Amino acid sequence: MTDANRQFRLAARPVGLPTRSDWTLSCEPIPKPGDGEVLARTLYLSLDPAMRGWMNEGKSYIPPVGLGEVMRAGGVGRVVASRHPDFAVGDAVSGGFGVQQYACLPGAQFTRVDPRLAPLPTHLGTLGMPGMTAYFGLLEVGRPLPGNTVVVSGAAGAVGSVVGQIAKLKGCRVVGVAGGADKTRYLVDELGFDAAVDYKTEDARAALRRACPSGIDVFFDNVGGDILDAALATLARHARIVICGAISQYNNTTPVRGPQNYLSLLVNRARMEGMVVFDYANRYGEAVRDLSAWMAAGQLIAREHVVDGFESFPETLLKLFSGENFGKLVLKVAED
């Protein structure tokens, strides 16, 4: 254990894409846990599109990160000191570590994870918040039925790749929207999607109509913007649209662009509903049970894009918005 805790703190509200100047890299003493607290060493941090929204001031589903505060982030690590009866030194834990090398939190804010189920980075992806989002967003909000056509945007990402695979397990026809030939090939050849649309080289609206001749029954949206509009123009009767994210809009310097084809909801008697994974926190165990069982049976593939180096955090985060990441983007902070 080193004698200092390096932390990335939010120094300014980004305008457009975040830059290194929006962060301060500070060095603090490693905290000592008080009664009921646990100190864990950070091994891996989860980098998620939602982090961009947490940097903005204004009302949202969760308070923004305050200026001068450690940047919010999920993580996994090992307990190095504990004053909580449920945690012992050496336990692997997940929780809201923040972008720092050590996290000292009340024990209730940590969850023990089992490295025998999957490697630790997978507990930030398929067995972490993205997997929970895919599981509950699709099954509870999208409510797919066998034979339905399910379309997912951002399909090669952490959430989208799991959504598509669960939909296949539920007997649906699945179409993914992603950027680039490598990603669309991955969706079909490795994950078993029925078709894929490359929005970088194809007209998304025309391609979706070809891929979904009977219309879209469930659209799981991680992107927003033009892709959402293309899907709205291709809905089947009584379609369900799950609004999970809108990564195409997060770094706008102009107002967020809403859907232009929203009247399709009326024509097709469709429903569009937002979802936030934290609403299902008391059921995470249910999702982990099913997801880990599917993984063990070889029915669900998990993929992480791991980047090594704590100090690369500002630049690594930007991979989310350039589409460079393939699967769940994880920052490796230390060796286990």
Side-chain angles (χ1 to χ4, degrees), residues 10 12-19 22-23 52 55-56 67 251-252:
L10 186 63
R13 304 284 179 201
V15 177
L17 282 169
T19 66
D22 294 321
W23 312 98
R52 181 61 186 84
M55 300 176 209
N56 295 334
L67 293 178
N251 294 297
N252 281 8

Side-chain angles (χ1 to χ4, degrees), residues 118-293:
L120 289 180
T122 305
H123 290 272
L124 295 176
T126 302
L127 296 182
M129 186 175 70
M132 306 300 106
T133 302
Y135 182 93
F136 293 110
L138 179 66
L139 299 181
E140 296 294 325
V141 183
R143 298 182 179 270
L145 300 172
N148 276 177
T149 293
V150 175
V151 174
V152 55
S153 62
V159 174
S161 60
V162 179
V163 168
Q165 292 182 84
I166 295 175
K168 287 297 295 181
L169 286 166
K170 296 300 180 180
C172 299
R173 183 172 183 276
V174 178
V175 178
V177 181
D182 288 344
K183 290 185 177 181
T184 53
R185 217 170 11 246
Y186 168 69
L187 296 177
V188 175
D189 294 347
E190 296 189 43
L191 300 189
F193 284 40
D194 296 283
V197 171
D198 182 353
Y199 72 85
K200 290 186 176 180
T201 61
E202 301 179 85
D203 177 270
R205 183 166 173 172
L208 283 175
R209 285 187 168 173
R210 287 194 301 271
C212 308
S214 298
I216 299 170
D217 297 297
V218 179
F219 178 55
F220 194 106
D221 190 26
N222 296 298
V223 173
D226 292 338
I227 303 301
L228 173 57
D229 265 332
L232 286 172
T234 321
L235 297 182
R237 186 73 56 88
H238 301 302
R240 288 83 69 200
I241 300 94
V242 183
I243 301 298
C244 176
I247 195 169
S248 71
Q249 304 295 301
Y250 290 165
N251 294 297
N252 281 8
T253 56
T254 55
V256 169
R257 185 169 73 78
Q260 296 179 344
N261 293 331
Y262 77 95
L263 285 179
S264 181
L265 299 171
L266 168 63
V267 172
N268 292 293
R269 293 73 147 177
R271 169 172 58 84
M272 185 159 66
E273 182 176 346
M275 75 84 57
V276 174
V277 69
F278 305 135
D279 293 343
Y280 300 91
N282 63 342
R283 296 176 58 192
Y284 285 175
E286 169 191 336
V288 170
R289 180 197 66 215
D290 287 349
L291 292 164
S292 58

Side-chain angles (χ1 to χ4, degrees), residues 304-327:
E304 294 84 38
H305 182 142
V306 180
V307 177
D308 196 356
F310 178 75
E311 291 194 10
S312 73
F313 163 71
E315 291 76 29
T316 302
L317 181 67
L318 298 184
K319 292 182 183 294
L320 292 167
F321 308 109
S322 62
E324 290 180 56
N325 64 300
F326 219 125

Side-chain angles (χ1 to χ4, degrees), residues 65-152:
V65 176
L67 293 178
E69 292 181 355
V70 175
M71 182 59 201
R72 182 184 296 137
V76 290
R78 293 278 182 182
V79 174
V80 294
S82 175
R83 296 186 63 185
H84 191 287
D86 293 341
F87 297 91
V89 172
D91 283 349
V93 294
S94 65
F97 276 67
V99 185
Q100 56 185 343
Q101 293 179 300
Y102 292 88
C104 188
L105 299 170
Q109 294 182 29
F110 280 126
T111 300
R112 270 202 312 272
V113 300
D114 187 352
R116 295 170 298 179
L117 287 178
L120 289 180
T122 305
H123 290 272
L124 295 176
T126 302
L127 296 182
M129 186 175 70
M132 306 300 106
T133 302
Y135 182 93
F136 293 110
L138 179 66
L139 299 181
E140 296 294 325
V141 183
R143 298 182 179 270
L145 300 172
N148 276 177
T149 293
V150 175
V151 174
V152 55

